[in-house]
């Protein structure tokens, strides 16, 4: 029982805190744009199911926390359910009611409201990453030689352990990766290095040796090799403007990497066992929290990117599904039929539930949950 309590405090609590923050950010994106568009928001809920506690704002919005904490929703005037399906009686609304009804807003306004949730997640990720880059700094491998391989080009050129390379053929070197790029493109060619050694600048000439390897396509690739290892990790802080730009490019890169991984899973070139559900996310949340605040914040940003991206998938009941409906409406000049939307929503809900069952089963198998509970009571 002690082990079970430790799992709850170490994993479940950090997971619920991170998830609550991300759900709030996502739903507040919908809420803020809806209010700006003049839509009456009836409910802002963190979680689903019965209300645990809440309050009613002067605007009439009921802000609440509900019993099932895996998600949340904003219900706007005219909605029949949390997924923003059109309620009955839209045609019988008075003009005053139409003015504050989500479903009577223009196509552009409805699109902006729906897209605002995922957009808020991406913007939140950029903000968190920017704060990390400006305060903690970007983790990188310093261009410092920790080891010189015996018989290598580096040894022949006079490099010794502790040298920090600051320039290679006139190119400033800020991190170990910069040095690797220059060396890789300089096979068999003399390379002038400027290093800091015991606080003094020393100029050396080394000739990277040519090595050949075969890539995944079977093509022989030639590159230069110096024969050194780096091992010193340092953090480089950025000014606020640079931090925002770095955070934006990092968010884009993580988004592209995630989409590439999803494509590989769909095509079968990558195992679907890598897909994780709430149990695995809870485990990673606990590990991130244990590693420190900066790691927990980085994981929160990564999870925010994934949440925004998943919600943009063109699956009915998700934001991306609604945006597909609106695209069809823009092309046709009128909304899709009620029956089509109903069938699409059922198919989308079935897909989401099926995916949740699959990833949860993945978690149970990968984390050996059954074995764990068996050990508790045996």
């Amino acid at each position: 029982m002690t082990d079970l309590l430790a799992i709850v405090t170490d994993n479940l609590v950090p997971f619920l805190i991170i998830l609550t923050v991300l759900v709030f950010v996502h739903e507040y994106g919908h809420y803020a744009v809806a209010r700006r568009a003049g839509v009456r928001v009836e409910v802002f809920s963190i979680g689903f199911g019965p209300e645990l506690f809440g309050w009613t704002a002067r605007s009439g919005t009921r802000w609440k926390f509900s019993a099932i904490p895996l998600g949340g929703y904003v219900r706007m005037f005219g909605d029949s359910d949390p997924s923003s399906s059109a309620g009955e009686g839209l045609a019988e609304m008075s003009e005053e009611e139409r003015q504050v009804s989500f479903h009577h807003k223009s196509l552009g306004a409805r699109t902006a409201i729906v897209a605002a949730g995922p957009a808020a997640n991406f913007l939140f990720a950029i903000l968190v990453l920017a704060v990390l880059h400006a305060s903690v700094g970007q983790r990188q491998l310093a261009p410092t030689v920790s080891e010189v391989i015996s018989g290598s080009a580096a040894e022949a050129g006079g490099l010794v352990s502790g040298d920090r390379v600051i320039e290679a053929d006139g190119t400033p070197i800020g991190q170990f990766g910069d040095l690797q790029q220059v060396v890789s493109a300089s096979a068999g060619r003399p390379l002038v290095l400027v290093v800091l050694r015991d606080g003094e600048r020393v100029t050396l000439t080394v000739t990277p040796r040519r090595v050949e390897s075969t890539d995944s396509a079977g093509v022989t690739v030639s590159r230069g090799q110096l024969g050194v290892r780096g091992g010193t990790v340092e953090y480089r802080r950025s000014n606020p403007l640079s931090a925002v730009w770095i955070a934006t490019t990092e968010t884009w890169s993580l988004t592209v990497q995630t989409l590439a991984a999803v494509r590989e899973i769909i095509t079968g070139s990558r195992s679907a066992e890598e897909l994780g559900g709430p149990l695995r996310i809870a485990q990673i949340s606990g590990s991130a929290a244990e590693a420190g605040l900066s790691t927990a914040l980085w994981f929160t940003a990564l999870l925010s990117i994934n949440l925004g991206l998943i919600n943009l998938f063109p699956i009915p009941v998700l934001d991306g599904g609604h945006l597909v409906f609106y695209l069809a409406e823009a092309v046709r000049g009128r909304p899709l039929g009620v029956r089509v939307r109903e069938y699409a929503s059922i198919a989308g809900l079935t897909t989401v539930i099926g995916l949740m069952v699959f990833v949860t089963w993945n978690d149970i198998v990968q984390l050996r949950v059954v074995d764990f509970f068996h050990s508790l009571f045996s």
Side-chain angles (χ1 to χ4, degrees):
M1 192 58 68
T2 303
D3 290 342
L4 184 60
L5 182 61
I7 285 178
V8 171
T9 55
D10 295 344
N11 296 325
L12 187 59
V13 171
F15 169 61
L16 290 179
I17 291 173
I18 291 173
L19 185 62
T20 298
V21 170
L22 296 184
V23 169
F24 176 83
V25 167
H26 181 91
E27 299 303 335
Y28 192 81
H30 292 311
Y31 171 84
V33 177
R35 291 285 294 160
R36 188 170 183 83
V39 175
R40 182 194 305 167
V41 179
E42 297 186 322
V43 177
F44 187 114
S45 177
I46 301 296
F48 297 98
E51 177 180 327
L52 296 178
F53 63 91
W55 63 95
T56 301
R58 286 186 296 178
S59 62
T61 302
R62 180 66 181 175
W63 297 74
K64 65 179 185 178
F65 285 81
S66 300
I68 305 173
L70 300 178
Y73 64 92
V74 169
R75 191 176 74 219
M76 291 168 272
F77 184 66
D79 291 347
S80 64
D81 54 47
S83 66
S84 287
S85 298
E88 297 180 359
L90 291 179
E92 289 76 30
M93 283 184 178
S94 66
E95 183 57 34
E96 184 178 354
E97 290 174 325
R98 289 170 179 263
Q99 291 294 322
V100 294
S101 168
F102 169 74
H103 297 279
H104 286 93
K105 291 299 177 182
S106 68
L107 177 60
R110 282 179 281 134
T111 300
I113 292 169
V114 170
N121 283 122
F122 287 114
L123 290 174
F124 179 72
I126 291 172
L127 174 63
V128 171
L129 292 173
V131 169
L132 286 174
H133 287 306
S135 57
V136 178
Q138 188 174 17
R139 186 181 186 276
Q140 61 185 31
L141 200 60
T144 301
V145 176
S146 62
E147 181 184 353
V148 177
I149 308 300
S150 178
S152 66
E155 185 181 51
L159 278 167
V160 298
S161 178
D163 283 350
R164 182 184 180 100
V165 182
I166 60 174
E167 193 176 296
D169 263 5
T171 302
I173 302 297
Q175 55 183 313
F176 198 76
D178 297 336
L179 177 62
Q180 288 176 312
Q181 288 182 1
V182 175
V183 170
S184 181
S186 306
R189 180 175 65 83
L191 193 63
V192 177
L193 301 181
V194 178
V195 304
L196 284 180
R197 180 181 296 171
D198 297 328
E200 296 183 359
R201 292 168 63 97
V202 177
T203 302
L204 304 170
T205 300
V206 298
T207 303
R209 291 178 181 164
R210 186 182 303 276
V211 295
E212 294 184 345
S213 58
T214 304
D215 64 15
S216 57
V219 178
T220 300
V221 179
S222 177
R223 60 184 178 82
Q225 187 179 73
L226 205 55
V228 297
R229 291 193 179 97
T232 305
V233 174
E234 61 184 15
Y235 291 84
R236 177 174 295 181
R237 294 180 182 178
S238 304
N239 63 61
L241 281 178
S242 296
V244 171
W245 172 250
I246 293 170
T248 302
T249 56
E250 190 173 356
T251 298
W252 172 256
S253 177
L254 289 169
T255 301
V256 171
Q257 290 173 31
T258 303
L259 287 173
V262 171
R263 185 187 69 247
E264 290 171 0
I265 290 173
I266 292 174
T267 58
S269 60
R270 193 166 184 163
S271 174
E273 292 181 356
E274 294 184 31
L275 290 174
L279 297 180
R280 202 176 310 183
I281 295 173
Q283 182 193 45
I284 299 173
S285 298
S287 299
E290 187 177 349
L293 179 60
S294 61
T295 302
L297 287 175
W298 186 88
F299 177 69
T300 301
L302 177 62
L303 208 56
S304 189
I305 293 169
N306 279 270
L307 180 60
L309 190 57
I310 289 171
N311 270 279
L312 286 176
F313 286 175
I315 300 174
V317 310
L318 297 181
D319 294 331
H322 289 291
L323 293 175
V324 170
F325 287 162
Y326 296 155
L327 177 61
E329 182 178 341
V331 172
R332 299 174 76 243
R334 64 184 188 280
L336 293 172
V338 175
R339 187 66 60 86
V340 173
R341 282 179 288 165
E342 286 179 351
Y343 285 151
S345 296
I346 292 172
L349 183 60
T350 303
T351 301
V352 171
I353 292 175
L355 183 60
M356 283 298 298
V357 170
F358 176 76
V359 296
T360 302
W361 176 253
N362 259 357
D363 289 351
I364 291 172
V365 172
Q366 298 292 331
L367 301 178
R368 301 182 180 275
V369 175
V370 175
D371 292 344
F372 170 75
F373 278 103
H374 184 266
S375 68
L376 286 178
F377 302 104
S378 62

